Amino acid sequence: MTDSPPAGDGPLGIGLLCFIVQRTMEDRVLADLAAAGFDDLTMAQSRVMARIGPQGTRVTDLAEQARVTKQTVVTTIHQLAGAGYVRRIPDPSDARARLVVFDQRGLAALEIARKTEAAVHEEWTRHLGRRETERLHELLTKLREITDPYR
Amino acid sequence: MTDSPPAGDGPLGIGLLCFIVQRTMEDRVLADLAAAGFDDLTMAQSRVMARIGPQGTRVTDLAEQARVTKQTVVTTIHQLAGAGYVRRIPDPSDARARLVVFDQRGLAALEIARKTEAAVHEEWTRHLGRRETERLHELLTKLREITDPYR
DNA sequence: CATTATCGTTCGAGAATCGAACGAGTGTCA
DNA sequence: TGACACTCGTTCGATTCTCGAACGATAATG
């Protein structure tokens, strides 16, 4: 029973509520990406790609952030690279490592994703109110301090 | 790029933050279940089982709540039934449907899951404060109004 | 320099998920 | 009542996702 079991008829737990919110954002972004022509992106690929930083990110770090193993990331990055979304460059600071960076197609997709995310955030802000949305963001950020093992 | 892309170095989006929180709860519950002897439960199985209500839940409803297809739920329920966690009874109100209900082993697992969830919530409350945790819960519940298509 | 740890990778297998289609039962409405 | 469209759970087949184990190359430690 991963997450809060709603087997009781009481209110949903925070974990389950977070699932709903997170999944909604995922679906929205993925839908908009598909509509914009990036219809070859899967959810698994998207989840990994979303963790790539502007200066590039190591496979190991991507795995930690996305909560999957390195093997999974390697596979996913291979797919993304083949589709022109990312490419790998040597890490200047470590000859063992390689940095996964956005390629042209990836940057274009990133732009769409950013816009969608902003739009969804706006929707949420309209529903909750600006002040309350900020509060929610603050609380989640504070909660991250003890829930994100890789901070 | 499912979820908020942190490619910018700014703060994480609400979607991504929710992922971290939700995943943490999932991991904790699953770990405690495994430690309590329910080590045959996978995350996918747990996610579906967590949606079973006290009076039983239809396959279609489980699919909607867990955000997977009916086929996936059928497969998962088949596994869970084989392991003694759930069983299927006819739905009195609809001869087409069947209700998935907890079996003995499922109830035992549910108890563990409930305890763990409560313990994690307590941890979070200690970190955020009682008042703030309630606020977080309220905000997420309110956000659910527009993010849960199957409410 | 020797040893230990980390990085990315390959291989192989298992798990998870979906699309399409179907029989059984329900709801609707002329 | 009867015809038609819809829903429910299910099966089959295929694809995707994910992991465990292991390895060479490089880094860090002493």
Side-chain angles (χ1 to χ4, degrees), chain A:
Chain A
M1 248 96 22
T2 299
D3 248 2
S4 52
D9 14 33
L12 263 45
I14 292 179
L16 215 36
L17 289 167
C18 280
F19 168 77
I20 295 171
V21 171
Q22 175 252 352
R23 188 58 190 269
T24 297
M25 177 63 86
E26 271 189 349
D27 289 343
R28 291 286 294 271
V29 171
L30 210 54
D32 278 12
L33 282 170
F38 305 101
D39 54 348
D40 54 342
L41 277 175
T42 70
M43 187 163 280
Q45 291 166 357
S46 189
R47 280 177 180 157
V48 170
M49 194 158 66
R51 266 75 182 188
I52 300 174
Q55 265 68 37
T57 308
R58 292 186 184 183
V59 167
T60 300
D61 293 330
L62 290 176
E64 284 181 349
Q65 300 300 326
R67 306 263 205 166
V68 291
T69 61
K70 288 187 297 179
Q71 298 95 306
T72 298
V73 172
V74 167
T75 302
T76 306
I77 291 301
H78 183 76
Q79 298 164 350
L80 288 171
Y85 287 101
V86 306
R87 76 200 136 84
R88 280 161 290 189
I89 62 175
D91 186 338
S93 70
D94 191 334
R96 292 170 302 179
R98 298 222 262 164
L99 290 177
V100 180
V101 298
F102 282 106
D103 206 341
Q104 224 157 0
R105 188 165 168 78
L107 289 173
L110 181 59
E111 194 176 355
I112 302 289
R114 282 234 176 85
K115 279 181 184 164
T116 298
E117 200 211 350
V120 174
H121 266 149
E122 262 185 45
E123 281 182 34
W124 293 354
T125 302
R126 272 197 295 278
H127 186 70
L128 296 179
R130 164 167 296 281
R131 188 89 190 89
E132 300 300 294
T133 305
E134 277 176 20
R135 193 122 195 77
L136 174 61
H137 193 272
E138 284 169 16
L139 288 169
L140 286 171
T141 301
K142 176 136 189 162
L143 196 50
R144 183 188 173 208
E145 294 173 3
I146 58 170
T147 51
D148 190 351
Y150 314 104
R151 188 163 24 91

